[in-house]
Structures are given as C-alpha cells and as structure tokens.
Amino acid sequence: MEKEGAYAWLSLGGNDVLMLNDARGIEYVFKRNADNYRKSKFYNVLKPMLGQSILMSEGTIWRRQRKESSPVFAPKPIEEMIPDMVDAVESMFRRWETKDISKEGIDLNFETMFLALDVLLRTLFHEDKKEKAREMQAAIITLLREAEERVWSWFKLPQRITFLLPKYRNSLHLLNQTIHDLMVARERNQSYPEDLLSRLIKSYGSSDEERKLLRDQIMTFLLAGHETTANGLVWSCYYLSLHPEIWRKMQQEVDVVFAGQPPSAHNIKELVYCRQVFEEVLRFHPVVWTMSRDSIVHDKIPLEDGTHLDIPPNTTVMLCSYAVHRREKYWENPDAFDPERFSPDTVRKRPVFAYFPFGGGARQCLGIRFAQIESVLSLAMLVQRYNIHLKPGQAIKAIPNITLRPEGAVFFRLLSRQKIQHGVSEPFEVVQLPELTPLKSQCPFNQVAV
Ligand code: HEM
C-alpha cells in the first residue's frame, strides 16, 4: 500500500470513504465546488447535543446563523475582548499560587479546559459562572465522549436509549438548564447589547422552534470554543517541554515585546515567533484532526497531477489535516517540530490547502481569530512567567476522536522565573523525555495516510 499518496479509498462502518490528501482537491471541496458538499453523516453523533446549530446546519439556516454571529468575531470586537482574556489567565495563575506547581506539578489538561471555558463565559457571554464552570465542563466532556465513542464503534445503541442513562441525562439537563438561566438572566439585564449572547437572543423569536435553535447555538459556541482551544494549549505545552530551546526563544520575544506591560491588541501583534510556534503545534498536532463532507451529485475532483477523481453521489470525502500536515510532498522532514516553517517566506511557497487546522472556505472556523489571539496570548503569559517541564513517569497518549486530545491528566512542573532569578534553582532533574507515541499506531487510517 502507498505510504504517501494523494488519496485512498477506505471502508468505514460500511461506508465507502475517500480520504483526500491533495491540496488542490481539498481546495475544490472546501471552496471551489463547496455547494456540492454538505457536512457528512459522521457529524450526526453530535445532534443530541448540538441540534441544528451552525456547526451542523446547511443552506438558509446556516447562512442565517453565520450572519447573526459573525459580527462578534470581527477584528475590533475581538481586540476589545483581550483585557477579559488576560484577566482569565491571571486568575488561573492566582489559583496556582496555593498549589505546589513546581514539584507536584499541575494537570494542564484540566487547567486549560477550565481556562478556555472561563474565557468564553467572560468574553462572549459576560457571565461569571465560576461556580458552575466545573460542572458544565464535566457535563460537556461526558456528552462529547458519548458522541466520540459512536464515531468508530460498530455496535451502537440508539442515542435516544443511551440518553436515558442517568450519566448522560443529567449532563444534558445541567447544560440545558444553565443555558436557559443564561438566556433568562440576559433578557432581564441588557448591559451587554453587542456580545454574542445578546446578539443571539435578538436573532430568535419566542416560538418553541426558535427557542430550541437559540439553545443549540449557545451550546455550540460553548463546545466549539472550549475543547479545541484547550487541546491546542495543552499540546503546545507538551511539545514545548520537549523543546526547551523554543520555549527560551519565546521568552526572549515576550520579554522584549511586553516589556513589563500587560498584553494588549497592539503588542500581541508583535509576537511573531510565538504565533509561528502555535501554528506549528496545529500542523504537528491538529486538534480537529479530520473533517468530512458528503457529495450531493456526481462530481470529478481535480488533483495536482492533472488527473480527476470520480465521485458518486453521497460519497463521504474525508479531509484529514493530520495526514496532509505530514505529507513529505508539502513539508520537509514532517516529523520534526519546527516553527520556522511558518516564517512568511516559507508559507508563500506552499499550496494554501496543505495546511488547514481551522478548515476552509465559507465554513472555515468562525472562531479562528478568537482562538489564535486567546492561544498566543495565554502561551505568551505562561512563557513570560514560568519555565516548564513535563513531569516524568507519565504515559501520554493522543486519542483521535472528534478532537485529538490527550487521554486523562497531563502533569507539568512550572517554576516561576522570578524565583529562578532570585537564586532558587530548578528543584528537580530535567530529564530528556521520549517523544509521544506517534499517532500512526492509533490512527484508524495509519496504514494509508501517514
Ligand atoms: C484552536 C482552536 C480551534 C480549532 C482548531 C478549531 C477548528 C475548527 C474547524 C476545523 C472547524 C471546521 C469544521 C468543519 O469544516 O467540519 C471549526 C468550525 C467552527 N468553529 Fe472552530 N476551532 C477552534 C476554536 C473555536 C472557537 C474559540 C470558536 C468560538 C468561540 C469556534 C467556533 C466554531 C464555529 C461556530 C464553527 C462552525 C462554522 C461554520 O460551520 O460556519 N472555534 N472549527
């Protein structure tokens, strides 16, 4: 079987699936003939949680949903959210002050999830639901895992039956109730007329159907803007702990750019190297590692070598960023972690769709700018304050489900740079850690893709 190729036909759960690894073909599906490709049936597992929201819908409903929420994600409103993002990171650092983060370490898989949810609640909802955040986080994860288990499993109980189990029923109830409370509180208090919550509330009527659509939208933003960003941050910490020289280079940049000032819209733009590091994390380890579309009518997908692929109607086309981001055709030495790949000159030499961590075309991630600023800002603040080491003795596994996330807790030791400057040495041996087991051994497509 080909080790590195433009495409492969697979059989997944009884469906013929085209795995497309060719940048020209991917651009065609995402952009040039996007009207012929709708979200695939594999997304249906998210329906009990997300209903008919922007992530799942098509046609007129999707256009309406995209239009009503897009203004919140324009550059200016996002710049205005930066002080709230900074406060969320600062408050995470304050929580750590009572913990022994330098020896015992801290689980950054959990902490980044909490941070991402806190940022969302502060910026898009203007809600301080800290007492609820942990419960909400647990409920979101429970429901997401249920959906994920369905994607690849052969034996599936209907979701309406699974959702009778108390674990799932209670999680769904908690989230529905929280969203209901958010809506009711906002309808009483009009203090933030332009944030996402107010905009969504204004866009929907009072009928049951409209209220249900509104609930689906809120739930989607809570989910789509939460797990993804948190995963990107924890993997950044993981790869940076393997590459202390890159962490130090980021520190040099951050020290010059921040120069004792808090992060702002102006100075974040100057964090060029930090941004390249984050882009490389999402190449090496794309959080949304695969996407899929179903063709509507028969089509011919053009490839870079001038040939075409015949696509029958209702064929699932899988766009696997994990595989494409490691194709030797587009990336020299793809298994090496190297942020220099994202220097502007190098980027110009690659086809645009050799890199798509946020998808592409009209359905590209709506939160892309929000996620980039939040992630670079959080990493920069972390780098500015601490040196980082992965705690030895952990078996870290990447689980390729809907997102590519670490399994369970991931402990890091963080030593304050201020303390190091005052003569406190690193209180432990810095060990050379083995690289993460390559995804190859776990990825369902390993035999053809990477
Ligand atoms: C590192 C963080 C993130 C990554 C890697 C990411 C990735 C993606 C990808 C790949 C898609 C396209 C899925 C497809 O085409 O099937 C998507 C869609 C979407 N994302 Fe993100 N996302 C991130 C953060 C966020 C944030 C912070 C928000 C909002 C606060 C958000 C909101 C959305 C929405 C609403 C969609 C659906 C867009 C549409 O279909 O019109 N995402 N995201």
Side-chain angles (χ1 to χ4, degrees):
M1 213 173 273
E2 244 189 305
K3 183 169 185 308
E4 126 110 44
Y7 67 92
W9 285 99
L10 314 169
S11 176
L12 284 182
N15 297 292
D16 283 339
V17 173
L18 170 71
M19 184 180 182
L20 187 59
N21 297 337
D22 178 282
R24 186 169 175 216
I26 294 166
E27 178 172 19
Y28 180 83
V29 172
F30 269 145
K31 261 179 105 168
R32 290 182 40 218
N33 198 21
D35 284 350
N36 190 43
Y37 294 89
R38 60 179 164 228
K39 292 272 175 141
S40 88
K41 42 195 156 300
F42 286 96
Y43 290 74
N44 287 347
V45 294
L46 290 169
K47 279 225 161 110
M49 204 173 167
L50 304 185
Q52 210 183 3
S53 77
I54 184 169
L55 202 67
M56 325 279 292
S57 59
E58 299 285 345
T60 322
I61 296 188
W62 170 74
R63 275 191 290 280
R64 167 188 174 183
Q65 290 168 329
R66 185 95 188 183
K67 201 168 158 204
E68 79 208 5
S69 41
S70 289
V72 178
F73 295 93
K76 184 106 199 337
I78 290 191
E79 283 184 4
E80 286 166 6
M81 294 174 199
I82 289 175
D84 280 336
M85 293 181 180
V86 173
D87 282 351
V89 180
E90 293 282 3
S91 104
M92 176 175 78
F93 290 161
R94 277 195 299 279
R95 281 199 312 277
W96 293 354
E97 277 165 15
T98 56
K99 299 183 189 226
D100 181 9
I101 57 171
S102 67
K103 281 204 193 102
E104 280 305 307
I106 185 117
D107 171 13
L108 287 189
N109 197 14
F110 175 84
E111 294 293 322
T112 53
M113 288 276 190
F114 192 78
L115 172 67
L117 188 56
D118 191 19
V119 168
L120 275 189
L121 289 173
R122 288 174 191 244
T123 54
L124 303 181
F125 296 90
H126 287 97
E127 265 297 333
D128 188 6
K129 283 241 168 247
K130 256 194 225 65
E131 72 298 347
K132 269 261 173 230
R134 277 172 210 274
E135 285 175 88
M136 283 169 72
Q137 189 182 335
I140 290 174
I141 289 173
T142 304
L143 295 175
L144 204 54
R145 301 300 169 255
E146 195 280 339
E148 287 176 343
E149 278 162 22
R150 286 176 176 273
V151 179
W152 310 120
S153 72
W154 285 94
F155 174 71
K156 303 167 192 168
L157 272 177
Q159 261 171 324
R160 67 190 149 72
I161 304 214
T162 328
F163 275 77
L164 293 176
L165 295 173
K167 177 168 135 181
Y168 301 116
R169 200 181 53 219
N170 295 344
S171 297
L172 201 56
H173 177 73
L174 182 124
L175 290 175
N176 286 339
Q177 189 59 47
T178 310
I179 290 173
H180 174 81
D181 294 348
L182 280 173
M183 284 157 45
V184 171
R186 178 54 57 88
E187 278 159 347
R188 283 202 208 111
N189 167 6
Q190 307 289 325
S191 315
Y192 300 97
E194 294 304 322
D195 75 356
L196 182 72
L197 182 56
S198 291
R199 280 191 164 269
L200 291 178
I201 289 175
K202 268 186 269 173
S203 307
Y204 291 90
S206 55
S207 69
D208 286 354
E209 196 190 345
E210 289 278 295
R211 294 299 273 186
K212 168 78 172 66
L213 277 174
L214 172 58
R215 172 259 175 230
D216 293 347
Q217 283 291 81
I218 296 177
M219 181 75 101
T220 296
F221 281 100
L222 285 174
L223 175 79
H226 169 214
E227 232 229 351
T228 46
T229 315
N231 268 321
L233 286 174
V234 72
W235 287 121
S236 299
C237 292
Y238 177 81
Y239 288 109
L240 288 168
S241 69
L242 297 179
H243 295 279
E245 73 290 356
I246 298 180
W247 186 268
R248 276 192 296 277
K249 202 168 160 186
M250 289 169 78
Q251 281 178 333
Q252 283 162 7
E253 180 178 75
V254 167
D255 290 348
V256 172
V257 169
F258 286 169
Q261 298 300 310
S264 66
H266 177 68
N267 60 27
I268 289 169
K269 284 194 190 112
E270 290 170 32
L271 294 172
V272 177
Y273 187 69
C274 291
R275 202 164 45 246
Q276 283 180 215
V277 170
F278 184 61
E279 286 176 322
E280 175 65 347
V281 170
L282 291 188
R283 176 195 74 84
F284 207 70
H285 206 110
V287 173
V288 181
W289 63 285
T290 188
M291 284 149 260
S292 53
R293 301 286 188 267
D294 287 352
S295 60
I296 298 171
V297 296
H298 174 266
D299 199 8
K300 281 177 180 292
I301 297 183
L303 301 181
E304 282 171 344
D305 65 3
T307 60
H308 287 77
L309 283 173
D310 247 325
I311 306 295
N314 205 23
T315 302
T316 299
V317 181
M318 186 150 282
L319 307 145
C320 178
S321 49
Y322 187 91
V324 179
H325 290 183
R326 292 192 184 224
R327 276 197 77 188
E328 278 165 9
K329 178 162 192 219
Y330 304 128
W331 308 93
E332 202 183 314
N333 196 7
D335 290 333
F337 184 84
D338 179 10
E340 299 303 333
R341 300 175 196 282
F342 289 91
S343 64
D345 282 349
T346 323
V347 170
R348 269 193 288 275
K349 290 183 197 138
R350 275 191 300 268
V352 174
F353 280 87
Y355 182 69
F356 52 99
F358 292 96
R363 300 211 65 156
Q364 191 184 44
C365 175
L366 181 56
I368 179 170
R369 202 175 288 116
F370 182 102
Q372 284 166 335
I373 290 193
E374 178 188 0
S375 305
V376 171
L377 174 153
S378 309
L379 279 178
M381 289 176 74
L382 200 63
V383 155
Q384 182 186 35
R385 195 174 280 234
Y386 298 104
N387 281 355
I388 194 167
H389 303 278
L390 192 62
K391 199 172 171 186
Q394 302 176 84
I396 294 163
K397 256 169 83 178
I399 307 291
N401 276 325
I402 293 171
T403 55
L404 187 54
R405 62 187 166 82
E407 188 181 47
V410 188
F411 275 88
F412 291 85
R413 286 165 163 170
L414 297 168
L415 188 70
S416 147
R417 285 174 82 201
Q418 220 175 16
K419 286 194 185 152
I420 299 172
Q421 275 161 14
H422 288 91
V424 178
S425 59
E426 314 252 343
F428 41 81
E429 287 273 300
V430 178
V431 286
Q432 191 56 47
L433 292 152
E435 268 282 358
L436 184 72
T437 317
L439 187 63
K440 274 180 206 180
S441 57
Q442 299 151 29
C443 170
F445 312 120
N446 68 73
Q447 67 277 41
V448 285
V450 281

